Amino acid sequence: MCAIAGILDFAESGRYQTGAAYEQMLDTMERRGPDQSGSVVDGPASLLHTRLCVVDIENGRQPMCGIWNGEEYSLVYNGELYNTQELRRELMLKGHRFHGHSDTEVLLHAYMQWGEQCVDRFNGIFAFAVWEHHRERLFIARDRIGVKPFFYLHRGNAFIFASEMKTLLAHPEVEAVIDQSAILEIMLIGPGRTPGYGVFRDILELQPGMCGYLTRDGLRLRRYWSLEDHEHEDDFEKTVARVRELVLDAIQRQLVSDVPVCTFLSGGLDSSIISAVADRHMRECGGRLHTFSVDYQENDRYFKASHFQPSGDNAYIRIMNHALSAIHHDVVLSHVEVARALYAAVDARDLPGMADVDSSLLLFCREIKKHATVALSGECADEIFGGYPWFRDCEIRERYGFPWAQSTAWRASFLKRDVLDGADPNAYVDERYRATLEETPVLPSRTREERRMKEMIYLNFKWFMQTLLDRKDRMSMYSGLEVRVPFCDYRIAEYLYAVPWEYKDYRNCEKGLLRQAMAGLLPEEVLWRKKSPYPKTHHPGYLEAVASELRDVLRDSSSPLLSIVDAAALERLFNSALSVPWYGQLMTIPQTIAYMLQVNYWMKKYRVRIV
């Protein structure tokens, strides 16, 4: 994994191309790529790269240059290809020769051979750019699911791109400016984000499954992949077998690395599946897997079961510890350090995020990095297999609006009247919700229930899942830890989208199909454990800590948060008995307070200017 960036300036003045800009941008990229750095400059184009070494340390250096049929190409790439061997064999039959075994070299040769159609052949997670020296054009692409980030700014004759927004903002010509739409995004949608929207003025994100060319004539993008609905012809038994085959193959492919690989292990279904497969693989290779779990000081004392979080993880982690031959590591965090890390989590994400859900993951990844460079995690199984409570709760499922954020009126109540300036908060959110429903791929023959389930899957795929992928990428890469997500294999997403809901809901259980497909792999107690989300601290000291800090913000009249948020509304938070979540299952009142702290810190740290 790495950080990529680049500057193209076709104007004669070339004012965007300066040595100072390169240095400032590279400085922001070091955390993602602490091992190596490099750059290449050719006419109007500059490509920048920092590298976290995972595969072929000596021969995978970037920017990587190559010549094919007398023409020169330069590549910067962040990601991993999981079908490298198949591609290398095919390319060698076409006359290509390789100096090492890195996927970077294979990706470059694939582009030199097939041009923009190369993306159709890739199984992996990636964001990359290829500069064609002879044609003076840049090709850019992002993986199908959106695991790896790609932000850009296109202004006149200039085009700047980077893995993270902080790198764009490091360029002297780019300012941290926001407008009313950005404020509504932060307060009504956040920590989610409208697909493709970068919040800061002029900053956009290349959407998942998109690629395109930048030339002197401008930027031309196209979607090369999207979910499609079609009739599912496999019966239940064949579907179970196919799911097992796809999931096991995806995990096996993602265990390839030249550096130590470990797994997250919560004792839940998804991480336990991955850990069981990885454990078997490591034993076959003569090694031992390392697994990691996160918990919080005194959580056993303060934990309260709820509809969304019915049980703690520790008992199930112990069951998996007995079932595996792995070396297990418990990472226990205090509520004090989780609160302190709220601000580092903003630094990592470049935006306010999921409060302590982010900061705890950042701290967790920092500890894992002390033992390993690559980890596998169970993200996205819930979105693809329908695991969240809102998939199965008929009332929530049929309710209008995003199921993880149905509190627009409450959110809007925090905004100052002059900030709203006549804007309709409900309209802002509803426009995005309706647009997603309208583009949902669904066959006309589907029943009303199947149509709604397709909408629910697609809403989660386009919105909620992207928030979690943002979180996982930024919090892990902040410590130079590469986290792979096997359930994001596009083949799994493609196949499952057409599978009938009655199959997915086998035994009237969340992810029942996945559970049945993994029969015999896990202990029964874990295989059929009721879903429990990522753990959070329940310590009352956490609420006290963040509330105390927010009171300090309120006492300081220069706090930037107070330029957009009503102080009286914030005061009411301290004594609120509301159970309305800000976002998802985990962000309740303590996390809402923490989110406000993150907004204030973000505006101050990034010197955000409102226009």
Side-chain angles (χ1 to χ4, degrees):
M1 293 296 175
C2 313
I4 65 172
I7 305 169
L8 271 78
D9 190 354
F10 289 114
E12 289 185 12
S13 64
R15 79 173 191 270
Y16 285 82
Q17 299 276 23
T18 67
Y22 307 153
E23 291 177 10
Q24 291 169 29
M25 292 172 73
L26 277 168
D27 284 346
T28 68
M29 298 161 63
E30 187 175 358
R31 279 188 171 273
R32 290 187 74 93
D35 299 328
Q36 296 171 355
S37 66
S39 62
V40 63
V41 179
D42 176 66
S46 303
L47 303 181
L48 312 175
H49 189 269
T50 60
R51 185 181 179 208
L52 175 66
C53 296
V54 172
V55 174
D56 200 353
I57 294 169
E58 289 304 315
N59 296 302
R61 294 176 180 271
Q62 296 186 51
M64 183 174 285
C65 301
I67 296 176
W68 181 249
N69 290 334
E71 297 177 345
E72 187 174 1
Y73 304 79
S74 292
L75 164 72
V76 285
Y77 158 56
N78 169 31
E80 298 286 344
L81 293 184
Y82 302 127
N83 60 337
T84 301
Q85 297 305 323
E86 296 98 317
L87 290 169
R88 181 183 283 110
R89 285 193 293 268
E90 188 175 359
L91 287 163
M92 289 180 69
L93 291 173
K94 294 182 179 297
H96 293 260
R97 295 293 175 263
F98 297 91
H99 300 289
H101 64 276
S102 74
D103 57 332
T104 305
E105 191 177 14
V106 169
L107 189 148
L108 177 58
H109 281 260
Y111 180 79
M112 293 191 296
Q113 177 65 42
W114 295 303
E116 64 180 297
Q117 276 71 44
C118 68
V119 292
D120 298 321
R121 298 170 179 264
F122 295 155
N123 179 353
I125 55 177
F126 54 80
F128 69 89
V130 179
W131 174 245
E132 300 184 24
H133 295 241
H134 48 291
R135 292 191 178 93
E136 288 200 335
R137 68 175 182 175
L138 184 78
F139 178 73
I140 60 175
R142 191 174 178 209
D143 66 74
R144 295 170 175 85
I145 308 294
V147 179
K148 291 289 103 184
F150 190 110
F151 294 96
Y152 68 92
L153 177 147
H154 189 201
R155 187 184 292 163
N157 292 310
F159 181 84
I160 310 174
F161 68 90
S163 294
E164 295 181 351
M165 287 188 280
K166 63 173 61 67
T167 305
L168 298 179
L169 293 168
H171 193 287
E173 297 287 339
V174 183
E175 291 184 272
V177 175
I178 64 172
D179 57 16
Q180 185 194 56
S181 292
I183 295 171
L184 296 180
E185 191 81 5
I186 292 293
M187 294 301 296
L188 304 179
I189 301 291
R193 199 156 38 80
T194 298
Y197 185 43
V199 181
F200 295 103
R201 186 176 64 183
D202 295 339
I203 292 180
L204 299 172
E205 185 173 25
L206 186 65
Q207 292 195 46
M210 295 199 72
C211 65
Y213 282 105
L214 179 80
T215 66
R216 292 181 184 274
D217 296 325
L219 179 64
R220 176 181 59 83
L221 297 175
R222 71 175 178 90
R223 184 172 297 282
Y224 70 88
W225 183 87
S226 61
L227 287 174
E228 294 180 2
D229 193 19
H230 56 83
E231 295 294 347
H232 184 71
E233 298 181 355
D234 293 347
D235 62 17
F236 183 72
E237 288 71 25
K238 287 184 178 179
T239 301
V240 167
R242 181 59 176 156
V243 167
R244 185 179 181 94
E245 176 187 3
L246 286 170
V247 170
L248 295 183
D249 184 66
I251 298 170
Q252 289 283 359
R253 286 177 180 272
Q254 297 193 27
L255 288 169
V256 175
S257 173
D258 290 344
V259 295
V261 176
C262 66
T263 65
F264 289 27
L265 178 60
S266 69
L269 177 68
D270 313 324
S271 67
S272 296
I273 291 170
I274 292 171
S275 295
V277 177
D279 182 64
R280 183 176 61 193
H281 172 83
M282 293 295 289
R283 282 188 281 113
E284 290 172 353
C285 295
R288 287 187 74 185
L289 176 70
H290 287 252
T291 57
F292 293 82
S293 65
V294 64
D295 200 1
Y296 305 86
Q297 289 178 3
E298 297 190 272
N299 241 26
D300 287 343
R301 176 182 176 186
Y302 294 109
F303 177 81
K304 293 180 180 178
S306 67
H307 175 64
F308 287 131
Q309 203 152 21
S311 62
D313 290 334
N314 290 335
Y316 297 94
I317 292 170
R318 286 194 293 270
I319 292 171
M320 286 304 299
N321 285 343
H322 289 303
L324 304 176
S325 338
I327 300 170
H328 185 68
H329 307 259
D330 288 305
V331 177
V332 181
L333 307 175
S334 75
H335 67 273
V336 174
E337 59 185 336
V338 169
R340 286 175 182 163
L342 286 168
Y343 308 117
V346 175
D347 294 339
R349 196 191 271 259
D350 297 321
L351 289 170
M354 296 182 75
D356 51 276
V357 184
D358 276 9
S359 64
S360 59
L361 179 61
L362 183 144
L363 295 172
F364 184 36
C365 290
R366 185 183 68 184
E367 291 303 308
I368 295 173
K369 176 63 177 180
K370 295 175 182 178
H371 303 271
T373 303
V374 178
L376 272 63
S377 177
E379 256 76 14
C380 304
D382 287 305
E383 289 81 2
I384 291 170
F385 286 90
Y388 292 120
W390 50 71
F391 283 106
R392 305 181 66 253
D393 186 314
C394 295
E395 183 181 347
I396 299 175
R397 192 169 67 203
E398 295 301 324
R399 194 181 298 158
Y400 184 85
F402 295 117
W404 54 85
Q406 299 189 331
S407 53
T408 300
W410 184 60
R411 283 169 168 250
S413 71
F414 290 96
L415 284 166
K416 297 178 79 169
R417 289 185 179 273
D418 60 334
V419 171
L420 279 172
D421 191 27
D424 184 343
N426 285 314
Y428 186 87
V429 176
D430 290 353
E431 179 184 352
R432 285 146 181 76
Y433 176 73
R434 288 196 306 271
T436 310
L437 292 189
E438 289 171 4
E439 72 176 47
T440 301
V442 55
L443 292 175
S445 59
R446 296 297 186 194
T447 65
R448 182 182 179 279
E449 182 188 30
E450 276 295 329
R451 173 176 289 274
R452 184 54 181 164
M453 295 315 302
K454 287 286 186 291
E455 290 174 346
M456 291 290 286
I457 293 286
Y458 195 71
L459 282 165
N460 279 267
F461 194 86
K462 294 282 286 188
W463 288 83
F464 196 73
M465 191 168 84
Q466 296 305 316
T467 306
L468 296 185
L469 289 174
D470 274 0
R471 166 181 174 258
K472 182 54 63 71
D473 176 80
R474 305 313 184 276
M475 299 308 119
S476 59
M477 291 303 291
Y478 190 73
S479 295
L481 176 71
E482 174 191 321
V483 177
R484 299 174 179 176
V485 280
F487 287 105
C488 276
D489 188 304
Y490 77 95
R491 299 170 301 163
I492 298 174
E494 283 181 341
Y495 185 75
L496 264 295
Y497 189 72
V499 170
W501 175 249
E502 64 176 313
Y503 286 10
K504 295 177 186 174
D505 198 36
Y506 176 66
R507 284 178 52 168
N508 196 32
C509 180
E510 72 268 359
K511 294 184 287 190
L513 171 60
L514 178 61
R515 297 174 192 273
Q516 183 66 16
M518 294 298 116
L521 182 69
L522 304 177
E524 287 291 301
E525 306 98 308
V526 175
L527 184 67
W528 294 101
R529 176 194 178 187
K530 185 171 177 57
K531 175 179 169 54
S532 191
Y534 178 84
K536 67 176 183 178
T537 180
H538 295 268
H539 200 297
Y542 176 75
L543 175 57
E544 293 169 8
V546 294
S548 175
E549 290 199 38
L550 187 57
R551 288 190 175 96
D552 289 341
V553 169
L554 287 170
R555 281 191 286 266
D556 182 357
S557 60
S558 68
S559 297
L561 177 67
L562 300 180
S563 66
I564 63 171
V565 172
D566 181 66
L570 293 178
E571 288 281 3
R572 290 193 291 272
L573 269 178
F574 300 130
N575 300 308
S576 176
L578 288 173
S579 60
V580 179
W582 182 268
Y583 190 86
Q585 308 161 64
L586 301 177
M587 291 186 69
T588 53
I589 293 299
Q591 289 72 36
T592 301
I593 292 173
Y595 185 76
M596 297 299 178
L597 290 174
Q598 288 191 317
V599 174
N600 186 68
Y601 173 81
W602 170 70
M603 295 181 74
K604 183 182 293 186
K605 171 70 181 289
Y606 285 73
R607 299 178 182 177
V608 172
R609 183 165 62 88
I610 302 173
V611 296

